[in-house]
Every structure is written in structure tokens, then in C-alpha cells.
Amino acid sequence: MILHVDMDAFYAAVEERENPELRGKPVIVGGKPEHRGVVSTANYEARRYGVHSAMPTAAAKRLCPHGVFLTGRIGLYAEVSEQICEVFERYTPLIEPLSLDEAFLDVTGSERLFGSPVEIGRRIQAEIKEELELVASVGVAPNKFLAKIASDLEKPNGFVVVDGSAVLEFLDPLEVGRLWGVGKVTGEAFRRLGVKTIGDVRRLPDGALQQFFGEHGEHLSRLARGLDIRRVVPHRQARSISHETTFPTDIADVNVLRAWVITLAEQVAWRLRRYELRTRGVQLKLRYSNFQTITRSLKLKKPTNVTQILCEAACELLLDRVDLEGRSVRLVGVGAQQLDGRSVRQKNLFEDEENLRLEELDKASDQIRQRFGSGSLGRASAWERKKERKKKD
Ligand code: TTP
Ligand code: MG
């Protein structure tokens, strides 16, 4: 299954976040009118006045004279875009960004670890909202074409799922302009043919599309049936993999925290192995009950994806580099940075026996997880802590 995630009024939403005084006001980001600038985007308040992307800023000013006009900070938007990608990377390495504010994600292989595609989509939407204070719309569908349409249908804050068994019911009522490749010329031709919806396209007699539009017609015919075989092509490798958890009630007991750190480090190691990656950088993140957030990191001697090494490194950060001073913690996270994809195939990088033994151990436990699910195995100590906690409860 494919997710398409598209941020709502992206540039304007980032500006609103940076300056809460803008909230509720029409915000227009774009070039200056005196330089014949055009609108990059407008928030939804400004859109009510008819302002939209690509219109001259001068025209936007006439439509919405009291709007707040900003020239935009692309560097900032790019930075936020990276942070959005980091949320995606928690769930899949198969991410194809289309622009700063939208991406396709193939979550087919992520189900066992994170739940159904719908659950993953919901979590991504919620994490973007909670952590980045931005709103995304999400489409969940069997392919890219359908996912992209779905994310757009209920903007802003949309969440639309296209069920694989109800693709035609989903597509048929939509207007024909939603088909990829239907611009002005094709749109006009369809109008002349009396074709208004995607259903109308599908119901054209066999061969009619090819006759009218040649090769393009075949393409349209496939799309109108919801067929799209294009894969999600990741543009770049994941730069980091992390897992974190927010506790229902804050935790001050370092042993309980340690158990969580181990659990999270195991998940990170598991994902590294799954994506054939190794890491040199381990990071621990803690958020205290007053929301103060700290990170501590260390560099490993060699890149690794061995569970035990990552668990030890993460625990070392917790026990040696953090002074809890009796404070309680609401969130803990473990991350792997400086990922290295190539070294996985350079087998003899890890000649030393201890490492080989640990890698074998991980391989065996990964196989068990594959068969019985991700909850079936854990470090003994993590498991014992959980047991202890249960007893206390
Ligand atoms: P879009 O996703 O098309 O628009 P949006 O995110 O502002 O609004 P929504 O998705 O809710 O409809 O584009 C993403 C960003 O790209 C947008 O915030 C600004 C920039 N952009 C331009 O600079 N020029 C343009 O013509 C368009 C369409 C977008
Ligand atoms: Mg957008």
C-alpha cells in the first residue's frame, strides 16, 4: 500500500507556526508585487478571498488588501521538510519526495512492525501535528495515482483511504481533470465529447480513447480504471532511524527507563538490519515532565546493526551521560545516525568473532520475529523490567 502525504498550505503554515500572531489572519507568501511577483501559497483564510498559488501578488493584494504578505524563507521550509521526512523515516525507507511538502511512501513492508497502512498514516499525521505543529493531509491507496488523489480530496487535515476492492466506486464520480495528464487541451477535448467524470472516461467504447488521444489515450484508460504500476523510488537513503515513546504517566525510575531504552534500541537495530544498514552514531533523547528536551549521542568504533551493541550504547548514554536528579521523564527516544548502507555487503568488515556471533544471534531472533510477530522476543533484561513493573502495578 502507498501513502501520499501533502502538507496543507505549507509555506504559510510554517510562517504561522513561527509567528502565532498570524493565526486566523489571511497569510500570503510570495514574490513582491512591485517585482511582478507571484503567490507561492496562501493559507486557507486567504483562499476564501480567491487568492491562490501562481496568481500575481498584485492581484492577491486587490482581492485581499488586509492580508499579511510575506516574501518567504525557502531555507526554513527546506529545514522543516527534512524534519517531516524524518517522521516518514520512522515507518519506511521507501520515501519518494515530490517537493518540499509532499511525498509518496511505500509501507507494504512496514505492516508487521507498525500496523496497517491506515494506522501508519494516522500516526504520521498525528506525529507531524504534535511534533512539528503542522497539518498534513494523507491518502492511503493501493497505488501512487490513487493515493495522490486521495490526499487532496479532503484537504485540509484530510485522511482518505481507497479500498483496493472499491477503486471504481472511488474514481467514477470524480471529475475528469483529476486524471494525470489531463490539462487544458485534453480537458477541452473531453468536454466536447461530453465526458465529465472519470466514470465517463471508463465507459467510453473500447478503442475510443486510443482513437482520440493515441498513446496518451491508453495511459488515460489505465488511470480511469485505477491502474498504476509505478513504484515508489526513494531519492536518497534514510539518514537516521529512530524510535521513541511517550509514557502515559511520567517515569522517574531509572530502571524502568533503562528497560524502555533497551526496547527502543532493539527496534532501531531491527530496522537497521531490515533495511541492510549499519550505524556509527547512537542518540538518546529524553523529554522531561516540564517538556525540556535533551539529546545525548556517542560514536561507535565501527558501524553496526547488532542489537546488543546498540542497547549497550543507548544504556551507557542514559546511565552515564544523563543526570536525572530525581526528575521524571515523559518521552524517551533512541536513534541511529550516520547510517551506512554499503558496509552491509562488505562482509569481512566484521571479522572478529564476537561480532559474528552477535550477528548470528540477531539473525536467529529476526527469523523468530518474522514468524511470530515483533512482540515475541526481547532482551531478557527489558522483559524482566516489564515483568517487575507489572508486578508493582
Ligand atoms: P502545494 O502542496 O501545491 O500547496 P500548499 O501546500 O501551499 O497547499 P495545499 O497543499 O494545502 O493545497 O505546494 C507546496 C508548496 O510549494 C507551497 O506551500 C508553496 C510552494 N508552491 C510555489 O512556490 N508555487 C506554486 O505555484 C505552488 C503550487 C506551490
Ligand atoms: Mg501542500
Side-chain angles (χ1 to χ4, degrees):
M1 287 290 269
I2 308 296
L3 306 187
H4 181 258
V5 183
D6 188 299
M7 304 302 294
D8 298 332
F10 184 50
Y11 294 2
V14 174
E15 294 295 345
E16 280 178 58
R17 183 189 77 172
E18 296 299 299
N19 180 3
E21 276 179 22
L22 297 178
R23 292 215 177 121
K25 295 180 185 162
V27 176
I28 297 125
V29 180
K32 291 190 170 140
E34 56 269 31
H35 297 132
R36 297 170 182 261
V38 294
V39 173
S40 299
T41 194
N43 67 358
Y44 282 74
E45 281 82 0
R47 289 182 200 192
R48 278 199 219 115
Y49 296 86
V51 177
H52 59 77
S53 298
M55 81 172 8
T57 313
K61 199 129 201 170
R62 281 196 295 277
L63 288 168
C64 185
H66 62 294
V68 181
F69 287 77
L70 303 168
T71 45
R73 300 179 272 178
I74 192 76
L76 172 63
Y77 313 143
E79 212 174 281
V80 176
S81 178
E82 290 278 302
Q83 292 162 352
I84 296 166
C85 261
E86 280 168 21
V87 174
F88 299 158
E89 282 167 0
R90 293 173 194 160
Y91 297 95
T92 176
L94 296 177
I95 301 161
E96 181 178 341
L98 296 180
S99 69
L100 286 186
D101 94 318
E102 63 175 310
F104 287 115
L105 282 66
D106 186 338
V107 295
T108 312
S110 312
E111 295 187 31
R112 192 181 274 283
L113 206 51
F114 300 110
S116 70
V118 172
E119 282 170 298
I120 295 173
R122 290 273 180 212
R123 282 167 73 169
I124 287 175
Q125 195 180 39
E127 284 167 22
I128 290 175
K129 200 168 288 170
E130 279 158 24
E131 296 172 30
L132 303 176
E133 296 172 64
L134 292 169
V135 184
S137 291
V138 178
V140 185
N143 63 43
K144 280 178 152 183
F145 165 62
L146 294 167
K148 171 119 175 152
I149 291 186
S151 75
D152 195 53
L153 274 185
E154 289 182 7
K155 260 179 176 294
N157 198 25
F159 194 95
V160 173
V161 182
V162 185
D163 195 78
S165 61
V167 169
L168 298 183
E169 288 91 322
F170 171 77
L171 279 181
D172 278 2
L174 300 178
E175 59 171 63
V176 68
R178 290 206 175 258
L179 288 178
W180 285 358
V182 175
K184 265 201 183 130
V185 178
T186 319
E188 184 52 39
F190 274 136
R191 231 182 325 277
R192 270 185 270 121
L193 288 167
V195 168
K196 291 199 183 79
T197 65
I198 295 181
D200 294 340
V201 176
R202 192 169 59 81
R203 285 184 291 263
L204 285 173
D206 275 357
L209 279 170
Q210 284 83 340
Q211 194 187 323
F212 289 123
F213 304 113
E215 250 177 58
H216 186 42
E218 265 169 57
H219 163 77
L220 292 172
S221 158
R222 275 193 302 274
L223 290 183
R225 285 165 178 73
L227 303 173
D228 176 18
I229 53 163
R230 287 164 313 145
R231 290 167 162 282
V232 171
V233 184
H235 285 191
R236 59 186 165 83
Q237 275 222 317
R239 286 156 299 108
S240 70
I241 283 180
S242 64
H243 277 273
E244 58 185 45
T245 189
T246 304
F247 307 117
T249 49
D250 298 353
I251 292 177
D253 180 342
V254 70
N255 285 326
V256 178
L257 283 175
R258 183 169 159 269
W260 272 105
V261 166
I262 289 170
T263 305
L264 294 166
E266 283 184 305
Q267 292 176 17
V268 170
W270 192 85
R271 270 176 71 203
L272 287 170
R273 294 196 294 278
R274 195 165 159 272
Y275 305 140
E276 301 198 333
L277 295 166
R278 288 194 164 104
T279 182
R280 279 185 68 111
V282 180
Q283 189 187 65
L284 176 76
K285 172 172 159 188
L286 291 182
R287 182 166 297 147
Y288 293 112
S289 44
N290 66 356
F291 281 81
Q292 185 200 350
T293 307
I294 61 159
T295 57
R296 298 283 181 268
S297 46
L298 60 77
K299 212 167 159 184
L300 298 166
K301 281 197 205 83
K302 293 176 188 172
T304 187
N305 55 26
V306 167
T307 298
Q308 190 170 324
I309 296 175
L310 289 175
C311 286
E312 281 170 8
C315 286
E316 190 186 315
L317 288 170
L318 176 73
L319 300 175
D320 299 348
R321 303 269 307 278
V322 177
D323 192 357
L324 285 172
E325 298 161 358
R327 287 200 278 186
S328 52
V329 172
R330 70 187 316 269
L331 171 149
V332 60
V334 173
Q337 286 133 346
Q338 305 168 43
L339 304 187
D340 186 343
R342 284 160 307 137
S343 56
V344 155
R345 283 173 282 280
Q346 292 166 3
K347 274 272 180 230
N348 50 7
L349 195 80
F350 282 86
E351 299 107 351
D352 72 275
E353 272 189 24
E354 175 63 2
N355 249 316
L356 281 176
R357 193 185 66 76
L358 291 171
E359 290 206 348
E360 284 304 314
L361 187 68
D362 282 339
K363 217 198 262 172
S365 59
D366 286 348
Q367 278 164 1
I368 294 174
R369 271 173 211 251
Q370 293 282 1
R371 285 186 57 193
F372 301 110
S374 59
S376 57
L377 259 186
R379 296 279 106 175
S381 48
W383 185 73
E384 275 162 23
R385 296 291 166 211
K386 273 188 200 155
K387 219 169 43 175
E388 267 175 32
R389 234 177 332 127
K390 275 221 176 104
K391 256 195 254 160
K392 271 193 215 151
D393 289 345

